[in-house]
Amino acid sequence: MSHDRDLQLYRNNIERRYFEFFKPFEPERPEIYFTLEEQARLISNGLEAAQAGQGYTFGLFLVENNKLIGRMELSGVARGPFQNANLGYLVDPAYHGQGYATSAVKDIVHYALNELELHRIQAGVMPRNKPSHRVMDKAGFRREGLALNYLKINGVWEDHVLYAMTAEDLQNGAF
């Protein structure tokens, strides 16, 4: 099965299967979002964004069987004096609490700061999302503050704790 097809199936099946679980942490999704056609469009857009240097989406796979269990994303890539990207991720709940997200976040940070030559990676986490706070802490991110009414999640403007890591943090042994 092709990588693109795997991502389509993942996004359609995992996100649909766990829709109620993820709903409090995700933007509102129209029904079309869960169709293979829409997922194919989103994947195509993601590939175009990567080619343009504007965003990067990665699958999170189990080493032992290559099963796709999540996705990581660097979005809103800014160049020029900012050299920044936003980090987001989603992991199948069956694999929560096993270190997969933390490991993948570290890998993405290394890639972003070393290969893409970005200077800063930032992430926003809703205050009630304790597992993601643990991931950010274990991955060496610095808490920078609280952004009020930061993102519209599930139809509500939600506050987010802002985290960041810079190239200097990584050089100084952030993890």
Side-chain angles (χ1 to χ4, degrees):
M1 192 177 278
S2 77
H3 181 67
D4 288 348
R5 180 75 173 158
D6 283 348
L7 286 176
Q8 285 179 345
L9 291 172
Y10 167 76
R11 281 187 139 174
N12 194 12
N13 293 329
I14 298 298
E15 289 188 21
R16 181 58 144 177
R17 185 168 27 128
Y18 293 110
F19 178 75
E20 290 304 317
F21 178 86
F22 289 123
K23 191 174 180 179
F25 305 103
E26 291 280 318
E28 289 181 309
R29 306 281 189 204
E31 266 309 303
I32 193 170
Y33 179 83
F34 299 100
T35 66
L36 283 175
E37 294 78 18
E38 180 65 6
Q39 294 306 306
R41 188 186 70 75
L42 292 171
I43 289 168
S44 177
N45 289 350
L47 293 171
E48 289 174 14
Q51 290 172 347
Q54 299 170 335
Y56 303 87
T57 303
F58 307 88
L60 176 56
F61 297 86
L62 293 176
V63 173
E64 60 271 17
N65 61 13
N66 210 32
K67 180 180 179 182
L68 183 61
I69 63 165
R71 71 177 152 92
M72 313 300 284
E73 186 171 8
L74 292 170
S75 63
V77 175
R79 293 297 183 171
F82 198 19
Q83 298 294 325
N84 181 76
N86 297 301
L87 171 68
Y89 60 89
L90 181 104
V91 177
D92 183 329
Y95 297 93
H96 284 187
Q98 298 176 46
Y100 293 112
T102 302
S103 178
V105 165
K106 289 179 178 182
D107 288 345
I108 296 299
V109 166
H110 273 286
Y111 177 76
L113 299 180
N114 295 323
E115 301 299 319
L116 298 177
E117 298 179 343
L118 293 170
H119 179 257
R120 174 186 168 91
I121 306 301
Q122 61 188 35
V125 178
M126 289 185 291
R128 70 177 177 273
N129 189 346
K130 303 298 184 212
S132 283
H133 289 286
R134 281 195 313 276
V135 168
M136 292 291 102
D137 291 339
K138 288 170 30 180
F141 276 69
R142 169 183 62 257
R143 287 181 190 232
E144 293 195 325
L146 181 67
L148 301 178
N149 302 310
Y150 186 66
L151 290 173
K152 195 170 188 181
I153 302 294
N154 196 25
V156 177
W157 288 101
E158 294 276 1
D159 298 346
H160 281 67
V161 175
L162 299 182
Y163 288 87
M165 182 179 297
T166 63
E168 292 84 1
D169 296 327
L170 189 60
Q171 289 168 354
N172 293 328
F175 58 82

